[in-house]
Amino acid sequence: MTLAALILTLVTAQRLGELILSRYNTARLLAQGAIEVAPGHYPLIVATHAAWLIALWIWGHDQDVNLLALSVFILLQACRFWVLATLGARWTTRIIVLPDASLVTSGPYRYLAHPNYAIVAAEIAVLPLALHLYLLALVFTVLNGLVLAIRIHTEARALAIARERQP
């Protein structure tokens, strides 16, 4: 197995594990009375990320690895885990609003309104760069940017409503 294939195996396993965690957290939040906001765009997000991974496997599984870009990607994983740890049971890949719950303002949320999206945007660019797939980095950065524009606008509306409801 090449180093590139090992990296892609680990990233794929991580993403699948996160989907399982997200489904679990979503079910728990919904059972507590949370509501999902604008689920219609979610398949577009899943399709974009799945296409990114598939493209990386097709064109990157046997590529040499740029260790500097890989180091940046590994640093991004530490940031990703910081987000997950900060949100805990409230982390999900969907937009879920738990009525009367205070907004998270600790951890990376002290510095950015959407740290997870910034991290994901960087990952989508950096991992293809680590595999010398510059066109893939560009194409999926643009696609992800378009999807995130929809997502962030929708989430910002949901968070504004949640803030209005806070005591």
Short mmCIF file of all heavy atoms in Angstrom, two decimals, residues 21 24 33 40 60 66 108-110 113 119 129 141-142 157 159-160:
data_model
loop_
_atom_site.label_atom_id
_atom_site.label_comp_id
_atom_site.label_asym_id
_atom_site.label_seq_id
_atom_site.Cartn_x
_atom_site.Cartn_y
_atom_site.Cartn_z
N LEU A 21 -21.18 9.20 13.91
CA LEU A 21 -21.32 10.07 15.09
C LEU A 21 -22.40 11.13 14.85
O LEU A 21 -23.22 11.39 15.73
CB LEU A 21 -19.98 10.73 15.42
CG LEU A 21 -20.00 11.75 16.56
CD1 LEU A 21 -20.41 11.09 17.88
CD2 LEU A 21 -18.63 12.42 16.69
N TYR A 24 -25.85 9.62 15.13
CA TYR A 24 -26.15 9.37 16.54
C TYR A 24 -26.51 10.67 17.26
O TYR A 24 -27.52 10.74 17.95
CB TYR A 24 -24.94 8.69 17.20
CG TYR A 24 -25.09 8.47 18.68
CD1 TYR A 24 -25.88 7.44 19.18
CD2 TYR A 24 -24.43 9.29 19.58
CE1 TYR A 24 -26.01 7.23 20.54
CE2 TYR A 24 -24.56 9.10 20.94
CZ TYR A 24 -25.36 8.07 21.42
OH TYR A 24 -25.49 7.88 22.77
N GLY A 33 -36.04 17.33 21.36
CA GLY A 33 -36.89 18.41 20.89
C GLY A 33 -36.24 19.35 19.89
O GLY A 33 -36.83 20.38 19.53
N GLY A 40 -32.97 20.29 2.87
CA GLY A 40 -32.93 20.10 1.43
C GLY A 40 -31.55 20.22 0.79
O GLY A 40 -31.28 19.60 -0.23
N GLY A 60 -5.45 9.96 -6.87
CA GLY A 60 -4.41 10.21 -5.89
C GLY A 60 -3.84 9.01 -5.16
O GLY A 60 -2.85 9.13 -4.46
N ASN A 66 3.37 15.16 -0.78
CA ASN A 66 4.07 16.37 -0.38
C ASN A 66 3.96 16.44 1.14
O ASN A 66 2.87 16.66 1.69
CB ASN A 66 3.42 17.58 -1.05
CG ASN A 66 4.01 18.89 -0.60
OD1 ASN A 66 4.29 19.10 0.57
ND2 ASN A 66 4.18 19.80 -1.55
N PRO A 108 -12.92 26.96 19.61
CA PRO A 108 -12.65 27.73 18.39
C PRO A 108 -13.78 28.70 18.05
O PRO A 108 -13.57 29.63 17.25
CB PRO A 108 -12.53 26.64 17.31
CG PRO A 108 -13.27 25.47 17.86
CD PRO A 108 -13.09 25.54 19.35
N TYR A 109 -14.94 28.52 18.68
CA TYR A 109 -16.07 29.42 18.43
C TYR A 109 -15.85 30.80 19.06
O TYR A 109 -16.60 31.73 18.79
CB TYR A 109 -17.39 28.78 18.90
CG TYR A 109 -17.74 27.61 18.02
CD1 TYR A 109 -17.24 26.34 18.30
CD2 TYR A 109 -18.50 27.78 16.88
CE1 TYR A 109 -17.51 25.27 17.47
CE2 TYR A 109 -18.78 26.71 16.05
CZ TYR A 109 -18.28 25.46 16.34
OH TYR A 109 -18.54 24.41 15.51
N ARG A 110 -14.83 30.93 19.90
CA ARG A 110 -14.45 32.25 20.41
C ARG A 110 -13.84 33.09 19.30
O ARG A 110 -13.85 34.31 19.37
CB ARG A 110 -13.41 32.11 21.53
CG ARG A 110 -13.97 31.70 22.85
CD ARG A 110 -12.87 31.62 23.85
NE ARG A 110 -12.07 30.44 23.49
CZ ARG A 110 -11.17 29.87 24.26
NH1 ARG A 110 -10.89 30.39 25.43
NH2 ARG A 110 -10.53 28.81 23.88
N ALA A 113 -17.04 32.27 13.72
CA ALA A 113 -18.44 31.87 13.79
C ALA A 113 -18.64 30.45 13.26
O ALA A 113 -19.49 29.72 13.74
CB ALA A 113 -19.29 32.85 12.98
N ILE A 119 -12.20 24.92 8.49
CA ILE A 119 -11.32 23.75 8.50
C ILE A 119 -11.60 22.85 7.30
O ILE A 119 -10.68 22.42 6.60
CB ILE A 119 -11.46 22.98 9.82
CG1 ILE A 119 -10.94 23.83 10.98
CG2 ILE A 119 -10.76 21.63 9.77
CD1 ILE A 119 -11.40 23.38 12.35
N LEU A 129 -3.61 18.93 -2.66
CA LEU A 129 -2.27 19.50 -2.85
C LEU A 129 -1.19 18.56 -2.32
O LEU A 129 -0.12 18.45 -2.90
CB LEU A 129 -2.17 20.87 -2.17
CG LEU A 129 -3.03 21.98 -2.77
CD1 LEU A 129 -2.89 23.26 -1.95
CD2 LEU A 129 -2.69 22.23 -4.23
N THR A 141 -12.45 23.11 -4.24
CA THR A 141 -12.51 24.31 -3.41
C THR A 141 -13.64 25.22 -3.89
O THR A 141 -14.41 25.75 -3.09
CB THR A 141 -11.16 25.05 -3.42
OG1 THR A 141 -10.17 24.20 -2.81
CG2 THR A 141 -11.24 26.37 -2.68
N VAL A 142 -13.77 25.36 -5.20
CA VAL A 142 -14.84 26.18 -5.76
C VAL A 142 -16.20 25.54 -5.48
O VAL A 142 -17.13 26.22 -5.02
CB VAL A 142 -14.63 26.40 -7.28
CG1 VAL A 142 -15.86 27.04 -7.91
CG2 VAL A 142 -13.40 27.26 -7.52
N ARG A 157 -29.24 32.17 9.46
CA ARG A 157 -30.65 32.47 9.74
C ARG A 157 -31.14 31.66 10.94
O ARG A 157 -31.82 32.18 11.81
CB ARG A 157 -31.51 32.17 8.52
CG ARG A 157 -31.44 33.22 7.46
CD ARG A 157 -32.57 33.10 6.44
NE ARG A 157 -33.03 31.73 6.27
CZ ARG A 157 -33.03 31.07 5.12
NH1 ARG A 157 -32.62 31.65 4.03
NH2 ARG A 157 -33.48 29.83 5.05
N LEU A 159 -29.35 30.37 13.38
CA LEU A 159 -28.71 30.85 14.62
C LEU A 159 -29.30 32.18 15.07
O LEU A 159 -29.44 32.42 16.27
CB LEU A 159 -27.19 30.97 14.42
CG LEU A 159 -26.44 29.65 14.28
CD1 LEU A 159 -24.98 29.90 13.95
CD2 LEU A 159 -26.58 28.81 15.53
N ALA A 160 -29.66 33.04 14.13
CA ALA A 160 -30.28 34.32 14.49
C ALA A 160 -31.62 34.08 15.19
O ALA A 160 -31.93 34.72 16.19
CB ALA A 160 -30.46 35.19 13.25
#
